[in-house]
Amino acid sequence: MGNKYLTLSELNLEGQLLGFVGGEPGKYKYLQLAVPSGDVEIKLPKELRRLLSSSLVPGQQLRICGHSEIDSRTSKIKIKAYQVTPINTCPKQDLPPQTKARIMVCQKGGCLKRGGKGLLSELEKTLCDRGLSDKVTIEYTGCQKCCGSAPNCVLQLGKKKYKNIHPEAIATLLESHLTE
């Protein structure tokens, strides 16, 4: 039995932070970085995950020090960071403001049995019909600890949170929030 991953090289990347993915909020495993050759996904070390996800904002310029590895079975390259440093430059003025809203939908058994699948499909249909799909991130969560009011979904607009509201009301709130 050999190592699954073979280390390729050390690397330094500079680019614009697109966002965080994988895992639960505050414990994201990866960051997405826009570099001249395209977008890359970079794995974060456990000790940096919480700190970085709370201190960095999408659109910020970053310098990543890390190493690349190749999966000997699939030939896919994986990048792991060991240092992430913000570059102190002024953000581009032509970037649109980050007004993307989040909708967190519980995917545990109780919520799914009590209409969670229907809520999710109705929510996606309503957002699509009103042209809001690209302005919202739908996140699938574990239990939200409100099983008595299942199915559970939370809309987060900036610092405001709205719980257990109908998809039409979510779309109306989004429209009013995005036109402010």
Side-chain angles (χ1 to χ4, degrees), residues 4-153:
K4 181 179 175 184
Y5 290 99
L6 304 171
T7 300
L8 286 179
S9 65
E10 294 287 319
L11 56 89
N12 291 313
L13 290 173
E14 286 188 12
Q16 184 178 27
L17 176 65
L18 297 175
F20 295 94
V21 293
E24 51 190 79
K27 296 181 182 177
Y28 296 113
K29 292 182 179 182
Y30 301 90
L31 65 77
Q32 290 181 319
L33 195 69
V35 295
S37 59
D39 299 345
V40 292
E41 202 167 86
I42 301 167
K43 187 167 185 179
L44 297 170
K46 286 181 183 178
E47 60 273 7
L48 291 180
R49 291 176 187 169
R50 187 176 302 275
L51 173 71
L52 292 176
S53 65
S54 63
S55 65
L56 298 177
V57 293
Q60 194 170 10
Q61 292 292 321
L62 301 177
R63 179 175 293 120
I64 309 287
C65 297
H67 61 275
S68 59
E69 299 176 332
I70 189 164
D71 185 325
S72 59
R73 296 177 197 149
T74 64
S75 299
K76 288 189 178 182
I77 294 177
K78 187 177 189 180
I79 300 172
K80 289 184 178 181
Y82 57 80
Q83 183 180 6
V84 178
T85 312
I87 300 172
N88 294 329
T89 58
C90 295
K92 292 182 181 178
Q93 297 301 319
D94 58 347
L95 288 176
Q98 291 293 323
T99 57
K100 205 162 192 178
R102 289 178 20 181
I103 301 174
M104 295 161 283
V105 182
C106 179
Q107 294 294 288
K108 292 303 272 186
C111 282
L112 290 177
K113 289 176 188 173
R114 294 183 183 167
K117 287 182 185 176
L119 172 72
L120 188 58
S121 63
E122 187 176 347
L123 181 61
E124 289 171 343
K125 180 185 179 306
T126 302
L127 293 174
C128 187
D129 289 349
R130 294 199 183 184
L132 297 169
S133 297
D134 59 335
K135 295 173 177 61
V136 179
T137 302
I138 297 177
E139 294 178 6
Y140 307 106
T141 68
C143 186
Q144 295 178 0
K145 309 290 185 218
C146 301
C147 301
S149 59
N152 288 300
C153 111

